[in-house]
Amino acid sequence: MFRKILIANRGEIALRIICACKELGVRSVAVFSEADRNALHVRFADEAVCIGPPRAADSYLNIPSVISAAEITNVDAVHPGYGFLAENANFAEVCDASHLTFIGPTAEVIRMMGEKDRARREMAKLGLPIVPGTPGPVAEEEDALAAAQTVGFPLLIKAVAGGGGRGMRVVRKAEELLPAFKAARHEAGQSFGTANVYMERLIERPRHIEFQVLGDRHGRVLHLGERECSIQRRHQKLIEESPSPAVDESTRNELGAKVVKALETINYVGAGTVEFLLDESGKFYFIEMNTRIQVEHPVTEMVTDIDLVKAQIRLAAGEKLADVVPRIEMRGHSIECRINAEDPVTFAPSAGHLTAFYVPGGKGVRVDTAMHSDASIPPYYDSLVAKLIVHGADRTHALVRMRRALEMFIVEGVKTTIPLHRAILADADFQAGRIHTGFLDRHLPVMGK
Ligand code: ADP
Ligand code: ADP
Ligand code: MG
């Protein structure tokens, strides 16, 4: 096992990793920007190093600063969390070159999955169904129309390097294609460092279903069932649950086995998530793989009773999957609500100082947060305030528990998504599990009132 781990992140996920380190008896090192001097991850880690000014580009994304902090503190591994450097293949390579274990898959696998068009080709080769689309990027305006007609309308133009729900454009008919194509390439170039885009058939009213996987350094991979993340705004997840009300045991076993086989072929190591869309006729399509721990990992932890972050660390240290996960039993139902500091109707970010903060507790309730009643939400990073997670014997019990927990959650000083979550939980379609990724487009105008 490692002696000391550097956590290249902030916020609730940095605290989550510190919890895992403490339980494993491993020392932890926090890094922080000047805006996070008083943050809880700095207080709870065994050591902490300032790595630069507030802007992420100058601190949490600054590879030389993070590596220097690792060298000064003499750690033997680096946990990247999610966001920031978590899916940066170059960072994984620099860690290797600096004799630091990167807690995640190899740089080669991160690169393969980071280019979405390449991930599609590889996964199709490995036997997973993909959304019909162009085989690779479409670069030239004169090729765009022919490519689009082969894919068929309506379609989605997607940035090859996109993420966080950004870099996607819906095109419903041929006349709309060229302006959308030009705008998508321009935006992709500005946001993701490469203008490359590809096209995919737009699946109407899909459900987002994803499989959690773990792989060891000895060639074995397993899956821990699925999560459903269909409640989204702007292609970003807002509510997640496990299991999915739309997936039965035989579907889970069948698709899960295909996912495991594909990932064993590429020697996948660490935690990862394979994302699918499920259409109204019951067909699954691979959309992308995230080669890291995910925001919504707690719902899987609640139903499997497996600590995914401790598992990531033990697998990176070379332990066998059979020892880290001796048996898998799914029990009950879990739901997570992402509490963001933003306007619940316009979703405009709402940074500021908290004037009151109280988190609900009691049986079956878990809150992952780095906030407290005198904390500030800096404007520089993403707007997650807390993740409210509940577990119940079945979906009905989990829904009741979430509703009472949302009633008892107090955040004052900034606007949050709590009122929106309360409205969604009170919705008859949501309660019945009749959901798809466009759920909020239809319901939001009503819920905002
Ligand atoms: P998950 O798939 O774990 O639910 P999200 O898509 O919500 O994750 O993204 C997790 C975190 O990573 C968020 O903080 C998000 O802003 C960030 N993120 C993911 N991909 C990118 C990207 N390409 N560029 C910038 N931030 C990203
Ligand atoms: P990101 O890297 O930003 O997470 P994804 O490819 O995972 O991008 O897509 C995010 C969301 O966008 C999906 O959960 C879904 O709501 C929507 N989406 C992506 N591809 C399609 C598609 N082909 N048809 C319909 N919706 C899609
Ligand atoms: Mg995704």
Side-chain angles (χ1 to χ4, degrees), residues 82-83 163-164 166 237 275 290 292 294-296 338 382:
Y82 57 70
R166 294 179 309 118
K237 300 157 187 168
E275 298 191 333
N290 294 319
R292 53 168 165 87
Q294 266 183 299
V295 174
E296 60 274 22
R338 294 194 195 188
D382 76 24

Side-chain angles (χ1 to χ4, degrees), residues 219-222 259-268 321:
R220 273 211 56 208
V221 173
L222 56 74
V259 165
V260 166
K261 188 164 161 249
L263 294 179
E264 282 191 342
T265 311
I266 59 167
N267 278 312
Y268 191 84
L321 211 37

Side-chain angles (χ1 to χ4, degrees), residues 116 131 156 158 162-166 168 200-203 208 232 235 275 277 287-288 437:
K116 292 182 170 201
V131 186
L156 205 52
K158 294 176 78 168
R166 294 179 309 118
M168 273 176 261
E200 221 171 69
R201 179 86 54 80
L202 180 80
I203 311 289
H208 175 115
Q232 304 182 349
H235 305 300
E275 298 191 333
L277 294 181
I287 48 169
E288 69 152 347
T437 60

